Amino acid sequence: MAEELFKALADPTRRTILDELADRSGQTLFEICGRLSMKHRLGLSRQAVSQHLAVLESAGLVETRREGRYKYHDLNTAPLRQITDRWPVPDPSRPEESTP
Amino acid sequence: MAEELFKALADPTRRTILDELADRSGQTLFEICGRLSMKHRLGLSRQAVSQHLAVLESAGLVETRREGRYKYHDLNTAPLRQITDRWPVPDPSRPEESTP
DNA sequence: TTGATAGGCAAGTCGTCACTTGCCTATGGT
DNA sequence: ACCATAGGCAAGTGACGACTTGCCTATCAA
């Protein structure tokens, strides 16, 4: 599970896809292709994006729902929690000190 | 910066190294090699581990300090914060609801 | 039914990455 | 001075991953 999560995050295009889904949830494959092309100047084929979405879905970061011939993609950030669960990040508001 | 962070996290051996540094901070290269070999049955060469540490250091996840002929490695989880800053993770204690 | 739209499957190419091997530098003990 | 220990540098290899190309299926509108 962790393996797929980190593999999914390793690619910059996939991270951009997550950004776009965070900006607007429930996009179709073609909408995502358009955003990557227009906003980020990424000239990827439709299949490339589709493969990226499959990787993100297998990591649990993207969930899909079918309606007719459309397939909508939603962001799910819950899997990211296991990262900070595994390596706790100190609170920046309390710079550094041992737990009193 | 983000690129190096996620690349660093992408490899399972590097994640195990982070685990070991979280368990015991300030280890030398040889100590880490020993732990990977004994606790995780990872038969890596010393150079392989050294290269992994270099990747982790360039991501800011590991910091080093030299003392004599020893080089100690310390974990720094602060860079992980940019992950949850970029894609906010919902609080699991309040399952789901719009901010009231 | 035909055509257009939205998406899926599979093989092939090319580059990147993890790891090894071999040799070199530096510090410390005796 | 020696030798062992701790670490670094660089080239070579093998495998995996990103992307393309080509073809196929399914839904909806005319």
Side-chain angles (χ1 to χ4, degrees):
Chain A
M1 193 83 195
E3 182 63 28
E4 290 174 322
L5 171 66
F6 290 105
K7 289 271 181 188
L9 292 173
D11 187 85
T13 302
R14 283 196 286 270
R15 295 196 296 271
T16 304
I17 291 175
L18 293 181
D19 290 337
E20 289 307 313
L21 289 178
D23 181 59
R24 184 164 175 276
S25 195
Q27 295 187 62
T28 68
L29 172 60
F30 275 59
E31 287 181 274
I32 296 169
C33 284
R35 285 203 170 205
L36 292 178
S37 172
M38 302 299 292
K39 294 179 58 176
H40 302 275
R41 304 292 166 188
L42 291 175
L44 295 166
S45 71
R46 177 179 55 84
Q47 280 75 4
V49 179
S50 179
Q51 287 167 9
H52 281 310
L53 286 169
V55 174
L56 290 169
E57 189 174 4
S58 77
L61 290 167
V62 164
E63 291 169 350
T64 62
R65 51 196 160 89
R66 254 225 132 99
E67 286 180 22
R69 59 176 160 174
Y70 299 104
K71 188 178 182 181
Y72 300 108
H73 301 263
D74 300 291
L75 177 65
N76 179 20
T77 59
L80 296 177
R81 195 177 300 122
Q82 56 185 291
I83 300 177
T84 45
D85 284 353
R86 184 166 177 178
W87 304 291
V89 180
D91 188 339
S93 61
R94 288 181 298 171
E96 60 191 85
E97 53 182 333
S98 55
T99 57
Chain B
M1 193 83 198
E3 182 65 28
E4 290 174 322
L5 171 66
F6 290 106
K7 289 271 182 187
L9 292 172
D11 187 86
T13 302
R14 282 195 288 269
R15 295 196 296 272
T16 304
I17 291 175
L18 293 181
D19 290 337
E20 289 308 313
L21 288 178
D23 181 58
R24 185 163 176 276
S25 195
Q27 296 187 61
T28 68
L29 172 60
F30 275 60
E31 287 181 273
I32 297 169
C33 283
R35 284 204 171 204
L36 293 178
S37 172
M38 301 300 292
K39 294 179 59 178
H40 302 276
R41 304 293 166 188
L42 290 174
L44 295 167
S45 72
R46 178 179 55 84
Q47 281 75 3
V49 179
S50 179
Q51 287 166 8
H52 281 310
L53 286 170
V55 174
L56 290 169
E57 188 173 4
S58 77
L61 289 167
V62 163
E63 290 168 351
T64 62
R65 51 196 159 88
R66 253 225 131 98
E67 286 180 22
R69 58 176 162 175
Y70 299 104
K71 188 177 182 183
Y72 300 108
H73 301 264
D74 299 291
L75 177 64
N76 179 20
T77 59
L80 297 177
R81 195 178 298 122
Q82 54 184 291
I83 300 178
T84 44
D85 284 352
R86 184 167 177 178
W87 305 291
V89 180
D91 188 342
S93 61
R94 288 182 296 171
E96 60 190 86
E97 54 183 329
S98 55
T99 58

